[in-house]
Amino acid sequence: MPYAGEKASRLGHVGTVRNEAVKAALQRWTITSARPSSRDDIDGLCSPLEDLALVGNLDAVDFSITVDGSDTEVETTRDHPTVKVGYLRIAGSMVRLDVFQNLAQVRFIDPQEVRRSHTEYAFDVALPGSQLARPGMSGAETWRTELDAFLQSSRFDSSTTMTLSDGLLNLHGTRGAPATKIALRVCPGCELKASDETTLTVTATGGTCPSCNGQLYLADVLRTHEEYNVEGSNFTPMGRVMTAAERLMSLCYLNFFADTAPEVLRHTIFITDGPLALFGPLAPLKRRFQEHLGNLSSWCAQRDIVAPLIVGIEKTGAFVEHAEQIKDLIPTGHVMRLTNDYINRISGRPANNRYGIDEFYGRRFIYRTRAGDPLVITVLPAPGHSPYEGGAEVEGWDAYPTLRLICEVLDALRTRMYQHAVVPIALAHSAAALPLGVGRSVLTMMAQQNVPGLKLDIQAVQPPTYFKK
């Protein structure tokens, strides 16, 4: 790879293009997710919505709550390009679905009516990247400390006192009984491995390692510090924090309504941008989400309330690309279940691979809306089921009682703003998005003006008026 100032020859690629071994390698490969040659494999996996059991009432779903996040990492100055700062914004958006359904009947839409139909709330945080630390702390310790402060101070809604830390404790408890302490697997300081669930524990205010006497934080439960990079980009752990914050914010809404107004759960669909899954160091929390949400569904059933309508919607990725390729093989108004065998074939995995068992607390489906476009969605299974564990039972329709109602709600929320878009996610994204270009330059300037030891280096734009004294 060239360094700054080094240039490649304009003909440097010619040798690679003429290499017969390179050509032969390219010609040996096939695309695993390519469009099937026949629709036989598709037909047996599809079902019209009308053939699925309907649990709940479409007309009773009046609200949607959607959580979305945005993150970015900036280099602070040209003199210190490896010194980086991460910014994160998480937003929740509540939409009155009845208003949007009424607007669909009129010829000219009043923008003020659209604005009055939804409310939003967002919170922001800056996290330290490489070569940034609190005095007396290492970079990883600073990351842990700042992340814990973020969880402790971030309320999921301006009208409540419940924070993301409360959501994390709720996640490790049962309905109405949050955990008071959570066990850690390894001490982040001395790497002591816990021999049982009492060796290393943290409460809302943290804890102490019995071996090194180091400070433990509730944020250590997320394990994002394991991917912290002291010399390079920390965009990966930033993304983990964003995912965790999105999921915890949704969980806070669910528990808040269950505590204060259970009937609201009957009238609300909860939408997540992305699949109902957790990856990397967050993956062990998948079982906690699965158990907690299953417990909540059982609690709702005891009160004759439809299990919470929770769905994840993907806008990009391999499954979205595949859905586009096969959409004309799926009739409109039909939903396609994705068996493990089918997933392994289109992703190039071994036939006996147990896909998603460690990451997903919902199962993927492809729904071709009545408008004709496909949506890749993830839906929770019925209580007692694990979406990717087991055989035919968890791959069948009956294991997902909310699937039909969720698809019918999504049919009414499609928008042509962009591909695979639904109105609640588009509005939540608008509230959460951190802009590129000038917005990124402003965030860079903010770091320069506030981190001691950095000098102002105007790289692309003049300081906006709200930075000038």
Side-chain angles (χ1 to χ4, degrees):
M1 293 297 290
Y3 292 96
E6 292 183 331
K7 296 181 178 180
S9 167
R10 292 179 179 270
L11 300 178
H13 60 281
V14 172
T16 303
V17 172
R18 290 177 174 174
N19 190 296
E20 292 299 324
V22 173
K23 292 181 183 179
L26 296 174
Q27 294 167 2
R28 287 194 296 267
W29 304 334
T30 60
I31 300 174
T32 59
S33 62
R35 175 188 168 90
S37 56
S38 73
R39 61 184 307 150
D40 295 342
D41 291 340
I42 306 296
D43 286 342
L45 300 175
C46 293
S47 172
L49 284 187
E50 292 78 11
D51 288 354
L52 303 183
L54 177 61
V55 178
N57 181 2
L58 177 62
D59 294 333
V61 184
D62 300 321
F63 303 95
S64 73
I65 291 180
T66 308
V67 177
D68 194 11
S70 183
D71 58 346
T72 188
E73 186 180 55
V74 299
E75 298 176 357
T76 53
T77 64
R78 291 173 178 169
D79 292 338
H80 299 281
T82 58
V83 178
K84 302 177 187 293
V85 173
Y87 295 97
L88 180 67
R89 164 166 275 229
I90 306 294
S93 174
M94 191 277 286
V95 178
R96 291 176 51 195
L97 302 184
D98 57 334
V99 174
F100 269 90
Q101 291 166 357
N102 292 335
L103 290 175
Q105 309 302 319
V106 301
R107 184 175 181 181
F108 299 105
I109 296 176
D110 184 352
Q112 292 184 342
E113 286 295 322
V114 175
R115 184 67 189 90
R116 284 194 291 266
S117 70
H118 83 282
T119 58
E120 59 194 36
Y121 175 72
F123 50 78
D124 304 89
V125 65
L127 290 173
S130 59
Q131 298 191 47
L132 288 173
R134 286 188 178 188
M137 289 187 178
S138 67
E141 289 170 341
T142 302
W143 173 275
R144 293 168 55 213
T145 303
E146 295 291 350
L147 178 56
D148 192 69
F150 164 57
L151 296 181
Q152 300 284 354
S153 62
S154 297
R155 294 179 295 163
F156 81 96
D157 190 273
S158 60
S159 61
T160 76
T161 59
M162 186 184 293
T163 65
L164 297 186
S165 289
D166 296 323
L168 191 55
L169 291 168
N170 270 294
L171 177 64
H172 285 79
T174 56
R175 167 82 283 279
T180 56
K181 60 183 179 180
I182 304 174
L184 299 180
R185 185 178 61 89
V186 177
C187 171
C190 66
E191 299 186 354
L192 169 71
K193 294 184 178 180
S195 57
D196 53 44
E197 292 189 354
T198 62
T199 304
L200 293 168
T201 61
V202 288
T203 65
T205 57
T208 304
C209 173
S211 177
C212 67
N213 207 36
Q215 175 71 41
L216 302 176
Y217 300 99
L218 186 63
D220 293 338
V221 174
L222 302 181
R223 295 173 52 188
T224 59
H225 56 272
E226 296 178 10
E227 295 183 305
Y228 177 80
N229 188 345
V230 296
E231 295 182 355
S233 171
N234 281 287
F235 197 70
T236 295
M238 277 284 296
R240 308 287 190 211
V241 172
M242 182 181 71
T243 298
E246 289 174 353
R247 303 303 187 270
L248 290 175
M249 190 175 186
S250 296
L251 195 73
C252 285
Y253 275 113
L254 285 162
N255 280 284
F256 175 75
F257 290 137
D259 289 339
T260 60
E263 277 297 312
V264 173
L265 297 175
R266 190 194 306 273
H267 301 286
T268 307
I269 183 170
F270 297 86
I271 302 175
T272 296
D273 184 10
L276 302 182
L278 296 163
F279 301 96
L282 295 176
L285 291 179
K286 162 258 180 180
R287 294 193 181 276
R288 294 305 315 148
F289 272 93
Q290 184 177 302
E291 293 173 6
H292 187 85
L293 294 174
N295 183 252
L296 178 60
S297 295
S298 298
W299 182 87
C300 288
Q302 293 170 3
R303 288 153 180 80
D304 196 28
I305 299 174
V306 176
L309 301 179
I310 301 173
V311 60
I313 302 178
E314 298 176 56
K315 300 195 295 281
T316 59
F319 285 85
V320 174
E321 180 181 316
H322 183 68
E324 276 293 320
Q325 292 172 344
I326 66 171
K327 67 180 180 181
D328 60 328
L329 302 179
I330 305 173
T332 58
H334 283 55
V335 61
M336 176 182 174
R337 59 191 179 95
L338 303 175
T339 63
N340 279 24
D341 178 66
Y342 187 87
I343 291 172
N344 289 337
R345 275 191 287 122
I346 67 170
S347 61
R349 291 178 169 87
N352 60 350
N353 175 67
R354 301 180 69 187
Y355 176 84
I357 191 171
D358 294 321
E359 301 90 7
F360 281 78
Y361 55 97
R363 191 175 184 95
R364 274 195 182 107
F365 295 86
I366 298 175
Y367 174 54
R368 191 177 183 198
T369 66
R370 301 190 189 281
D373 51 339
L375 291 177
V376 178
I377 63 176
T378 318
V379 177
L380 295 179
H385 290 290
S386 183
Y388 287 99
E389 292 186 51
E393 187 176 6
V394 297
E395 292 185 345
W397 304 110
D398 292 342
Y400 303 89
T402 61
L403 176 60
R404 176 177 170 179
L405 183 55
I406 285 173
C407 289
E408 290 185 348
V409 173
L410 294 180
D411 257 324
L413 298 178
R414 290 290 296 110
T415 174
R416 295 181 180 179
M417 292 177 65
Y418 51 83
Q419 198 174 30
H420 313 297
V422 294
V423 168
I425 285 186
L427 293 174
H429 176 75
S430 177
L434 294 171
L436 300 175
V438 173
R440 186 178 177 89
S441 298
V442 171
L443 294 175
T444 300
M445 203 174 303
M446 184 177 182
Q448 293 171 3
Q449 289 195 332
N450 289 279
V451 177
L454 293 179
K455 66 179 182 180
L456 187 62
D457 180 10
I458 302 173
Q459 300 176 11
V461 296
Q462 291 295 318
T465 55
Y466 50 82
F467 269 119
K468 296 179 179 179
K469 295 182 179 180

